[in-house]
Amino acid sequence: MPEFLIFTLSAAFASFGDVAGHERRGSWTWPGRSAILGLLAAAQGIRRDGDFAALDALRLAVAVFETGAPMRDYHTVQTVPTKEPKRPQSRPEALRQAGKAANTTITHRDYRTGVLFGVAVAGEGLHALAAALEAPAFHLYLGRKACPLNAPLSPWVGAAETPEAALRHLCLPPWAEGQTARTLYADAGLPGGAPERVETRHDAPLDRRLWHFAPRAVVTRGVEITPDPCEAP
């Protein structure tokens, strides 16, 4: 019987990436592979140019308890003409020189509010990962630094036949006790019930410095996961 590391992801605000354009940065409704591996790396103190080989070998499943509501933020971006008679020494000086010739555009940033997920991880080194989640080396957040977690991750490692079975041990926040996850997104090859569908998602990191991602197969399964109430510490 395989072992799984499970933990809770809960936040008031989250952003889970999407195809990144200049004018809009969208958000998926659930955290992908790159987001979860990045969170595990931050917990272990691994920087972007560090060794991710052990993390890249992990297999993941995400149970959706609450995708939250969409929220859009707006940013003003200014650019200046490239040809100036005198090269400015700073951005404020460049904007002053450009005056009305500066180009002003509005860009969009999408967020999700009030999200809740359970994550199951299969592979090697699960106990070390659990210890890192209990005392992370770097600050943990969901997508952007403006999106801190609002509940403990409560990691747990144990044997289970499927990710669904392992996630029944999940410790949900007090305000979410009794909630049921009805959708599970899993890496192909993880044990479990029959898939409802298989889709392709471009969130497997190829080059973390250049933000290049590869496609992967994601299995979607209908589930009914209602974790037992957490024991008092």
Side-chain angles (χ1 to χ4, degrees):
M1 190 179 297
E3 274 197 329
F4 290 93
L5 161 66
I6 63 168
F7 56 91
T8 302
L9 290 179
S10 177
F13 293 93
S15 184
F16 300 123
D18 198 343
V19 177
H22 173 67
E23 293 187 0
R24 181 180 177 184
R25 299 289 177 89
S27 174
W28 299 102
T29 57
W30 55 278
R33 182 173 181 82
S34 59
I36 294 171
L37 294 186
L39 184 140
L40 293 173
Q44 291 186 302
I46 301 174
R47 298 182 181 274
R48 193 175 298 278
D49 57 354
D51 184 1
F52 281 79
L55 294 177
D56 287 335
L58 299 173
R59 293 182 294 169
L60 310 175
V62 179
V64 178
F65 290 89
E66 179 58 66
T67 60
M71 187 195 79
R72 180 167 294 178
D73 191 18
Y74 299 90
H75 291 237
T76 300
V77 178
Q78 287 184 301
T79 58
V80 298
T82 56
K83 294 182 180 180
E84 291 289 342
K86 179 182 178 182
R87 185 177 180 84
Q89 299 300 311
S90 65
R91 177 174 173 77
E93 183 180 343
L95 291 172
R96 285 195 298 270
Q97 286 186 17
K100 293 183 179 180
N103 299 314
T104 302
T105 58
I106 295 177
T107 63
H108 306 155
R109 299 292 186 271
D110 289 348
Y111 294 85
R112 310 293 301 185
T113 62
V115 300
L116 178 61
F117 307 94
V119 179
V121 181
E124 302 295 326
L126 301 183
H127 289 277
L129 285 173
L133 292 176
E134 290 279 11
F138 297 141
H139 181 74
L140 304 183
Y141 50 88
L142 282 187
R144 297 194 179 107
K145 291 183 179 179
C147 306
L149 302 175
N150 64 3
L153 290 96
S154 302
W156 176 90
V157 178
E161 292 184 355
T162 65
E164 296 95 311
L167 286 163
R168 298 189 191 284
H169 297 277
L170 199 68
C171 185
L172 297 180
W175 60 85
E177 283 190 359
Q179 285 198 24
T180 299
R182 302 193 184 277
T183 304
L184 184 85
Y185 298 100
D187 283 335
L190 281 174
E196 290 185 351
R197 66 180 184 275
V198 179
E199 60 187 72
T200 300
R201 182 161 173 173
H202 289 74
D203 63 356
L206 273 180
D207 189 317
R208 289 176 168 85
R209 293 185 303 104
L210 299 178
W211 297 85
H212 290 172
F213 302 94
R216 68 178 176 114
V218 178
V219 174
T220 303
R221 293 202 285 262
V223 294
E224 190 169 333
I225 302 171
T226 307
D228 295 330
C230 299
E231 296 182 2

